[in-house]
Amino acid sequence: MASFSTSSARPYHIIIFGATGFTGQFVVEEVARTASEGPKGTLKWAIAGRSKAKLDKVLEQAAAVLSKPELASEVDVIVADVSEPDSLAALCKQAVIVLNCVGPYRFFGEPVVKACVENGAHYLDISGEPQFLESMQLNYHNQAAEKGVYIVGACGFDSIPADMGVIYTRDQFKGTLTAVESFLTASAGPEGGCVHDGTWQSAIYGLADSDKLRSLRKKFGHKPLPVVGAKMKRRGALFFSNEVQQYAIPFMGTDPSVVKRTQRYLHEELNETPVQYGAYAGVGGISNLFKLFFAGMMFWILVKFSFGRNLLIKFPEFFSFGFFSKAGPTRKQMEGSSFRFGFFGEGYTEGVDPTEGKPNAKIRTTVQGPEAGYVATPIAMVQAAITMLNESKSLPKTGGVYTPGATFAKTTLIDRLNKHGIQFSVL
């Protein structure tokens, strides 16, 4: 780990805001682990949230999990609340980077972004909400650019493995990569697995508001990205995938929108060939299909009405067949779980003109890692922050609101992830 710069004006390299939330507590543990990789005291960090008592408890818990009793006395605690702009401003003045773990971001994200931009702190979050991510770009990009502040959303499982995975696949391909499809599969151990219901809530509000996302996108006035090479065929809503040998559906998360924004940046700002992208998720065999069909139908119908949304929010386990829960997964469940992204790319070898004929070369890569939500997500977020602290010269030329791929394409983030359990490889 390299040395970091903090000026006397900013006592902390990193402040974790929302440290007492379900994901926040695991981010705290990951920062503590990362801090111990370098000489003692080189990474200065603090945790923040609404309740001092709860923050103290999170530090005690992290100290116990990591067998580092000194944590509780060494890490500072800052009280700040999303609904109190003065407390956010005071928080942001003290940090080089704020890691924001307070979701759903559509309700609580913007005040933190605003405070970071106004007070000169960089910002990372783990949002999987396209509407929030894109409206931050629309509303704050110019202001962040003027201030030299980097605002980077989707730095968790949504969407670092997908976004950096496409960039990795392109960088490993000899020639012009023109299209990539990704297939996500997740496996659970003997204890099973589930996802905390914060993610479920984001999905409910996201689907309910999908019309607003369409009108938001019109405001950018983007021209369509050029299609280089053969146009990629879209798959159906459900199909048997030979790639992962199971049934698959289009991936419902943020990855397609984040990857597309990255490809737009690389094309428009750096003049690189944009890669077409399709994202899919494996859902297993026939029995899973029935569950998925019923859960999907219920979700689709209920999400349209406020009483239906209230039911979905109140009973996540019932409506998701136990996939989402208010308690979230246990540590045992997390230990047994893992994810794997397969990337299937095609393009044209060096010297072959992509405007003529079909692609003549293929590449297969994978990104795999531990449990996605609360092990891989903190690793991705924290390594993104460490990269930002160490490699400011490799970030985009000006500040602004960016995707992870746009921010970290020219950095060593992938090497750092490889060393921390999220493995990128060519098959």
Side-chain angles (χ1 to χ4, degrees):
M1 184 189 281
S3 61
F4 306 109
S5 60
T6 54
S7 63
S8 53
R10 300 205 175 242
Y12 307 108
H13 296 108
I14 289 171
I15 298 178
I16 304 159
F17 182 51
T20 58
F22 191 81
T23 312
Q25 61 184 336
F26 296 106
V27 175
V28 171
E29 290 172 21
E30 190 55 35
V31 171
R33 265 187 216 103
T34 305
S36 65
E37 291 168 13
K40 195 169 161 59
T42 36
L43 182 69
K44 307 242 185 305
W45 61 289
I47 66 172
R50 284 183 304 190
S51 156
K52 182 171 187 320
K54 285 186 181 167
L55 290 164
D56 289 338
K57 206 167 164 193
V58 162
L59 280 181
E60 277 168 33
Q61 185 186 314
V65 168
L66 302 168
S67 308
K68 291 194 169 106
E70 68 279 7
L71 269 189
S73 58
E74 283 179 0
V75 178
D76 291 341
V77 164
I78 298 165
V79 176
D81 189 328
V82 163
S83 62
E84 293 167 10
D86 291 353
S87 73
L88 288 182
L91 167 82
C92 294
K93 285 189 174 89
Q94 298 181 71
V96 179
I97 302 177
V98 173
L99 303 188
N100 183 19
C101 301
V102 182
Y105 291 92
R106 67 174 53 238
F107 300 130
F108 306 117
E110 184 167 357
V112 189
V113 170
K114 185 171 188 286
C116 282
V117 171
E118 288 172 356
N119 296 285
H122 305 310
Y123 166 103
L124 301 180
D125 70 35
I126 44 178
S127 170
E129 304 164 49
Q131 195 183 336
F132 166 75
L133 296 164
E134 293 177 40
S135 65
M136 291 306 98
Q137 184 182 344
L138 189 68
N139 298 334
Y140 291 95
H141 180 76
N142 294 343
Q143 209 182 331
E146 279 162 27
K147 292 270 195 163
V149 166
Y150 294 95
I151 303 291
V152 192
C155 288
F157 178 73
D158 285 17
S159 291
I160 278 182
D163 203 14
M164 297 307 292
V166 172
I167 285 172
Y168 174 80
T169 307
R170 183 203 66 183
D171 289 349
Q172 299 297 321
F173 188 79
K174 297 186 178 24
T176 307
L177 185 74
T178 55
V180 172
E181 288 183 318
S182 70
F183 288 84
L184 167 65
T185 49
S187 56
E191 302 271 330
C194 70
V195 180
H196 187 257
D197 79 324
T199 303
W200 173 252
Q201 287 182 33
S202 297
I204 292 167
Y205 297 119
L207 202 61
D209 260 1
S210 50
D211 293 350
K212 285 191 188 144
L213 181 57
R214 279 192 285 277
S215 63
L216 168 72
R217 284 178 174 160
K218 287 200 180 99
K219 290 179 187 160
F220 282 98
H222 287 317
K223 292 187 181 74
L225 276 177
V227 173
V228 178
K231 190 165 165 43
M232 193 159 109
K233 288 186 179 63
R234 291 276 163 222
R235 313 263 193 150
L238 173 68
F239 58 96
F240 187 81
S241 155
N242 292 319
E243 291 83 0
V244 289
Q245 288 296 309
Q246 51 179 271
Y247 287 97
I249 58 171
F251 181 70
M252 304 300 246
T254 9
D255 294 351
S257 74
V258 170
V259 169
K260 191 169 185 182
R261 286 168 58 211
T262 295
Q263 294 304 318
R264 179 175 294 284
Y265 168 84
L266 295 173
H267 174 64
E268 291 177 354
E269 300 297 321
L270 306 181
N271 224 358
E272 294 175 4
T273 302
V275 177
Q276 304 170 65
Y277 177 62
Y280 303 96
V283 293
I286 293 286
S287 66
N288 283 8
L289 281 190
F290 282 113
K291 280 186 191 171
L292 187 78
F293 179 72
F294 284 114
M297 287 287 286
M298 300 279 271
F299 195 86
W300 203 251
I301 293 161
L302 290 172
V303 82
K304 292 182 166 44
F305 310 100
S306 65
F307 85 90
R309 292 194 289 277
N310 289 338
L311 276 177
L312 289 169
I313 286 164
K314 208 167 172 186
F315 305 108
E317 289 181 55
F318 177 79
F319 287 109
S320 69
F321 289 96
F323 189 70
F324 293 96
S325 88
K326 286 189 184 297
T330 62
R331 286 184 187 261
K332 265 268 184 284
Q333 285 176 321
M334 289 180 207
E335 281 164 22
S337 301
S338 61
F339 77 86
R340 181 185 176 98
F341 265 104
F343 294 88
F344 297 79
E346 56 178 35
Y348 299 78
T349 46
E350 282 161 3
V352 175
D353 182 353
T355 57
E356 290 179 20
K358 287 187 171 156
N360 69 342
K362 292 186 171 179
I363 183 171
R364 240 190 102 181
T365 63
T366 63
V367 179
Q368 54 195 354
E371 189 278 334
Y374 314 102
V375 185
T377 284
I379 291 169
M381 186 187 216
V382 173
Q383 290 310 313
I386 298 296
T387 306
M388 193 176 265
L389 287 169
N390 278 306
E391 302 180 38
S392 55
K393 289 185 174 63
S394 306
L395 302 176
K397 281 200 281 294
T398 62
V401 180
Y402 295 109
T403 57
T407 312
F408 299 112
K410 310 298 178 199
T411 68
T412 66
L413 176 59
I414 288 171
D415 298 338
R416 291 172 191 275
L417 293 170
N418 274 326
K419 291 188 182 104
H420 288 83
I422 298 177
Q423 310 277 227
F424 290 67
S425 53
V426 178
L427 293 182

